[in-house]
Amino acid sequence: MKVAVLLPCYNEEKTIGKVIDDFRKELPHADIYVYDNNSTDRTFEVATEHGAIVRKEPLQGKGNVVRSMFREIDADYYIMVDGDDTYPAEFIHEILKPLQSGEANMVIGDRLSNQTYYKENKRNFHGLGNNLVKGLINKLYGSKLSDIMTGYRGFDRLFVKSMPVLSPGFEIETEMSIHALDKRFKIKEIPIDYRDRPEGSESKLNTFSDGYKVLKMIFILFKDYKPFLFFLIWALIFLLFGLLVGMPVIYEFLKTHYITKVPSAILAVGLVILSMLSFSCGLILDTVASVNKKQYELELNKMYSKLVKNSDE
């Protein structure tokens, strides 16, 4: 079975050679792909010297790189890992096993359960951000995932070829996790060790700007995947404020049969109308999302049948 190791890279000259060598030692027959994302150092040259299949991705951002990787590379199993030497290659065998046995469509390398991420990571607020994103997604989707934003993952061909990558940047891990949960792909987490970047290697992740993008992606995908719940929340918020503003008006009318707080009455009516509109939008979009899910399942079944047929041949 063909295994592809995917290494998205941006200015990883100091580490990419070691990463390639480590993974080749663990899986000598795997194809190792390095996608250089407009690096200004010698990442491309070093990766080439170490024998990787090196390609360039002109659109900046990790999500854009992953989109090209998923689209262009054919394999039975895919291992995606950052090129910064923070993820030990020896865990690749444990990540591959659930994919090969059919136990999982996506395997997550969990850095958080064994606490190695918190011990090794020296960047402020990253642990807080990981826990915030994990808590939000687990709450919204009723899941129990331990590590949402890890860069060490394994996929089977069905997941890769049916994954619509929309994120341009570091939101890609969050998008993949939400997509897998919403489409009911089989997910398995494997505890792995994490080590901080070696000296001289700098993180490309901006804690606040990229954290905002991740939260924005959760918000957008929540709206797309669960529109009824999304708009129901807004409907309840508008209704609550409408009642808060309107109760004094109603009380005044019941007591005096007159309304002197006309602006409050207009605002209350407007908020209640917005609440009704939000609820209606949720119902309509939920029907659309349900139809899209059915269509996606049918296409997934066709793709699965085709993959099984090809493997039998």
Side-chain angles (χ1 to χ4, degrees):
M1 305 297 282
K2 185 177 180 181
V3 179
V5 178
L6 315 182
L7 303 173
C9 286
Y10 173 63
N11 287 347
E12 301 292 2
E13 173 189 357
K14 294 182 179 296
T15 56
I16 189 59
K18 180 179 182 300
V19 173
I20 294 170
D21 293 343
D22 287 349
F23 277 93
R24 179 170 289 110
K25 179 182 178 182
E26 297 296 329
L27 282 180
H29 302 296
D31 293 328
I32 300 178
Y33 292 85
V34 173
Y35 273 57
D36 178 41
N37 195 202
N38 302 313
S39 295
T40 55
D41 61 5
R42 295 187 66 252
T43 295
F44 187 93
E45 290 80 3
V46 172
T48 303
E49 292 167 2
H50 284 259
I53 303 169
V54 189
R55 298 174 181 173
K56 290 192 175 184
E57 171 53 53
L59 292 177
Q60 194 66 41
K62 186 176 181 179
N64 291 320
V65 176
V66 173
R67 182 187 297 109
S68 294
M69 285 178 158
F70 282 8
R71 183 181 299 163
E72 298 171 4
I73 298 172
D74 286 319
D76 297 298
Y77 305 108
Y78 301 77
I79 303 296
M80 188 181 77
V81 62
D82 294 339
D84 55 10
D85 196 29
T86 56
Y87 299 102
E90 54 265 27
F91 287 95
I92 192 172
H93 306 288
E94 296 179 49
I95 289 178
L96 272 173
K97 283 179 183 178
L99 299 173
Q100 294 171 330
S101 65
E103 188 179 351
N105 302 109
M106 179 175 73
V107 178
I108 296 174
D110 173 18
R111 313 158 295 170
L112 305 182
S113 294
N114 61 11
Q115 304 296 313
T116 57
Y117 180 81
Y118 301 108
K119 294 176 182 177
E120 291 289 327
N121 187 273
K122 305 299 190 300
R123 295 177 287 280
N124 295 328
F125 301 110
H126 279 216
L128 176 63
N130 272 286
N131 288 329
L132 175 61
V133 171
K134 177 180 69 175
L136 276 173
I137 292 178
N138 283 337
K139 190 71 173 177
L140 292 175
Y141 293 90
S143 57
K144 296 180 180 179
L145 296 180
S146 300
D147 193 350
I148 299 291
M149 301 180 68
T150 177
Y152 203 174
R153 295 170 185 258
F155 316 97
D156 64 6
R157 184 178 176 83
L158 183 65
F159 183 90
V160 166
K161 296 305 179 182
S162 64
M163 168 74 193
V165 179
L166 304 177
S167 304
F170 284 107
E171 317 94 292
I172 181 62
E173 284 92 358
T174 304
E175 182 184 3
M176 288 189 291
S177 298
I178 292 177
H179 175 75
L181 289 169
D182 183 74
K183 297 301 185 289
R184 293 178 295 175
F185 280 104
K186 293 176 286 186
I187 305 172
K188 186 175 180 62
E189 290 189 299
I190 299 294
I192 62 169
D193 292 336
Y194 177 88
R195 56 194 177 214
D196 203 13
R197 282 173 170 267
E199 188 175 350
S201 176
E202 297 182 0
S203 174
K204 316 305 182 300
L205 180 65
N206 185 289
T207 302
F208 296 103
S209 65
D210 288 310
Y212 166 76
K213 292 175 184 176
V214 169
L215 294 176
K216 180 181 176 183
M217 176 57 63
I218 294 174
F219 183 84
I220 292 172
L221 293 179
F222 180 40
K223 172 182 66 67
D224 292 343
Y225 289 158
K226 294 181 176 291
F228 180 73
L229 181 57
F230 178 85
F231 284 99
L232 178 62
I233 292 172
W234 283 108
L236 293 175
I237 291 173
F238 286 131
L239 180 61
L240 176 62
F241 280 104
L243 291 175
L244 289 175
V245 174
M247 286 302 293
V249 178
I250 296 172
Y251 176 78
E252 180 187 37
F253 178 77
L254 293 175
K255 187 175 181 180
T256 66
H257 297 287
Y258 288 99
I259 296 177
T260 59
K261 301 176 181 179
V262 177
S264 295
I266 295 173
L267 178 60
V269 171
L271 288 169
V272 172
I273 291 174
L274 285 175
S275 175
M276 295 171 62
L277 287 174
S278 295
F279 184 76
S280 300
C281 287
L283 286 176
I284 295 169
L285 292 176
D286 186 64
T287 302
V288 174
S290 179
V291 172
N292 288 338
K293 284 182 179 180
K294 292 175 183 176
Q295 186 62 39
Y296 181 89
E297 285 296 321
L298 291 174
E299 294 297 327
L300 203 63
N301 290 340
K302 292 179 183 178
M303 184 179 295
Y304 180 77
S305 299
K306 184 178 179 181
L307 291 175
V308 171
K309 182 180 179 181
N310 291 339
S311 64
D312 290 340
E313 292 176 353

